[in-house]
Every structure is written in C-alpha cells, then in structure tokens.
Amino acid sequence: MGQTELRLGQVSLQEGQTVLQTGQVKIQDELVEIREVMKGKISGNAPQSLPSTVMPSSPRIFGRQSYINKVVQFLLSAISTHLVILGPGGIGKTSVALSTVHDSCVIERFGIYRRWVPCEQATSLPLFFELIAKSLGLPPSTTNDRFSEIVAALEESGVLQFVLFDNFETIWDLEGEQSAIANILARLASIPSLSFILTMRGIQHPASNLIDWTSPRLPPLTPLEMDPAQEAFLKISPDSEGDDNLPELLRELDCMPLAITLMAKLAEVGETVAELLSQWKQEQVKLLSQPGGDRTSSIEVSI
C-alpha cells in the first residue's frame, strides 16, 4: 500500500513538473512574441500581400481651393512640414490631401518622393511599418527592427521626402498602442528632410506633447458652401440642373461632400431630386449605405 502511494506521488510530481515546464515554455514564447511585436518583426496578423501604396490620382474637388493653397504654401515654405487635416468622416480630408500632393509646385519640390500610406489597412504596428516600408520601396527586412530600417532609409536618402498618412485614426486608435505610436510620429518628425500630412477624423492633433506641429495649425474641414455643393452634385448628375428641390436636398445632407457624391449617383441613374428628398426624409443615412461598402461608398462606414 505504501509503495503504491509512493509511486502515485511520484507520478503526480512528474505531471506537475511537466505542467510547470509547459507553462514556462508558453511564457517564454509570449515574451519572444512581445519583443518581436515591439520591433515590428511579426507578420502573423498581416495579409500575405500588402495593400497597394501607389498614390491615388487627384480627385475632382469643389470649394476647397483656398484650403488646398494654404496646405501647399506650408509644404513649400519650410524644409520640413508636419500637418494634420482634421474633420468628421465624409468631409473630404483625403480629397484635399491628394489634391495638395498632386499640385504642380508640390510635384516640383518632392518629385517621385511623394508617398502614400493607407493607414485604414494598418490594423497592427507591424503592418503599419510594412506599409511604410512598401511605400518607400524598401526590400524585405533583414533585421529585427523594421522601424529603424525605415528611419535609416529616410535619413540617408539625401533628398526631400513627403509622406501622406491617410486615415491615420485607424492606427492612432489601436488599443494600448497610442504611446508607442506617438513616439513613432515624434521620431519621424525629427527627420529634417521629411514632411508629412496626416488625415484624421476628429478635431485634435495627436501627440501634441511630443511634436511641434506646423503653425498656424490647419482648422478642421467644414461642410461645403451651397454653390460648390451644387456644383459637385451637378458634375455627377447634370440632368438635375434647375431642379428647385436641389438646395433643400443639399441642406438635408448638411452639404457633406461624400453624402452629396453618393446622392448624386442615385440621381444619375434615374431618381429625381424630389424622389430622393422624400426617401432621405424617411430613410436618412440608410439611403446612402451599402452592405459591405467602404468609406467611399457608404455613409454608415464613413461616419
């Protein structure tokens, strides 16, 4: 009886040691993973093929020229410029930024060194780093520190560089990462030859305690005035010109550029402005929301 109990005790002890060893291995694995995440090495959450970082073409834009001119002047007046274009979803932040990037004077200043990073796809810090690296044309990482490779490439380029970080709120709002992202921004802002613009929902500049944003700061974008709002609508749906219901419909839409674009596309395929106005009053945002749509095709997703 005593020997049986002894053997059972030895088995229990061995099982306990196995559990302990397994737990130690798991903890060690987790520590390695944390270190690799901080270095931007892990790609477990990243897709096999990264989204395109090819700069989109210049969009049609209405009623924003004075704002665009101001941004252009900022980019031309200093070696290094750091700007944030703020405002609610659907207000036209990306359109303003792209129009600026495609301005002839900005092209002359930065040439081919104008980069676009679609932060909407950056669902983790490692993926954010890889998107930046792809926009810069860097080869696959050869170290455990992707961000240092990015900084080195920018600092050693010997030319003026510009990066547009589009929809930056996606990366800024990553849970538990805001301090790290603020330091990343601050490090980028310290590169003398680098200018960048963030487009971002909201009314506050990020990391203001670490970055001296170019002053005076750009004001958040506001809705369009009535004339450019009508011009934007009629550019898509010219048959609606002269419709007495159009000003009321645009006021109902708060003259928001994305809402105007989506509503005009409905008018383009045959709906009258009066019909659209009636439907809007009944359905509101649902009228301009498509299942599975993205920020450019669905008001619900955009806001």
Coordinates of all heavy atoms in Angstrom, one line a residue, residues 7 10 13 121 127 203 214 271:
R7 N 4.5 5.5 -5.5 CA 4.5 5.6 -6.9 C 3.5 6.6 -7.5 O 3.8 7.4 -8.4 CB 4.2 4.2 -7.6 CG 5.4 3.2 -7.4 CD 5.2 2.1 -8.4 NE 4.1 1.2 -8.0 CZ 4.2 0.2 -7.1 NH1 5.4 -0.1 -6.6 NH2 3.2 -0.6 -6.8
Q10 N 4.9 10.0 -7.0 CA 6.0 10.3 -8.0 C 5.4 10.7 -9.3 O 5.8 11.6 -10.0 CB 6.9 9.0 -8.1 CG 7.8 8.8 -6.9 CD 8.6 7.5 -7.1 OE1 8.1 6.6 -7.8 NE2 9.7 7.4 -6.3
L13 N 4.0 14.1 -9.1 CA 5.1 15.1 -9.1 C 5.6 15.3 -10.5 O 5.9 16.4 -11.0 CB 6.3 14.6 -8.2 CG 7.5 15.5 -8.1 CD1 7.2 16.9 -7.6 CD2 8.6 14.8 -7.2
Q121 N -5.7 50.3 -43.5 CA -5.3 48.9 -43.6 C -4.4 48.5 -42.4 O -4.0 47.3 -42.3 CB -4.6 48.6 -44.9 CG -5.4 49.1 -46.1 CD -6.7 48.3 -46.3 OE1 -6.9 47.2 -45.8 NE2 -7.7 49.0 -46.9
L127 N 2.1 45.8 -39.2 CA 1.6 46.1 -40.5 C 1.8 47.5 -40.9 O 2.0 47.8 -42.1 CB 0.1 45.7 -40.5 CG -0.6 45.8 -41.9 CD1 0.1 45.1 -43.0 CD2 -2.0 45.2 -41.8
I203 N -11.0 66.5 -34.1 CA -10.7 67.9 -34.1 C -9.4 68.2 -33.3 O -8.9 69.3 -33.2 CB -11.8 68.7 -33.4 CG1 -12.1 68.3 -32.0 CG2 -13.1 68.7 -34.3 CD1 -13.1 69.1 -31.2
T214 N 3.3 72.1 -37.5 CA 3.5 73.3 -38.2 C 2.4 74.3 -37.8 O 1.2 74.0 -37.8 CB 3.5 73.0 -39.7 OG1 4.5 72.2 -40.0 CG2 3.6 74.3 -40.5
E271 N -33.3 58.5 -60.5 CA -34.1 59.1 -59.4 C -34.2 60.6 -59.6 O -33.2 61.3 -59.8 CB -33.5 58.7 -58.1 CG -33.4 57.2 -57.8 CD -34.6 56.7 -57.2 OE1 -35.7 57.4 -57.1 OE2 -34.6 55.5 -56.7

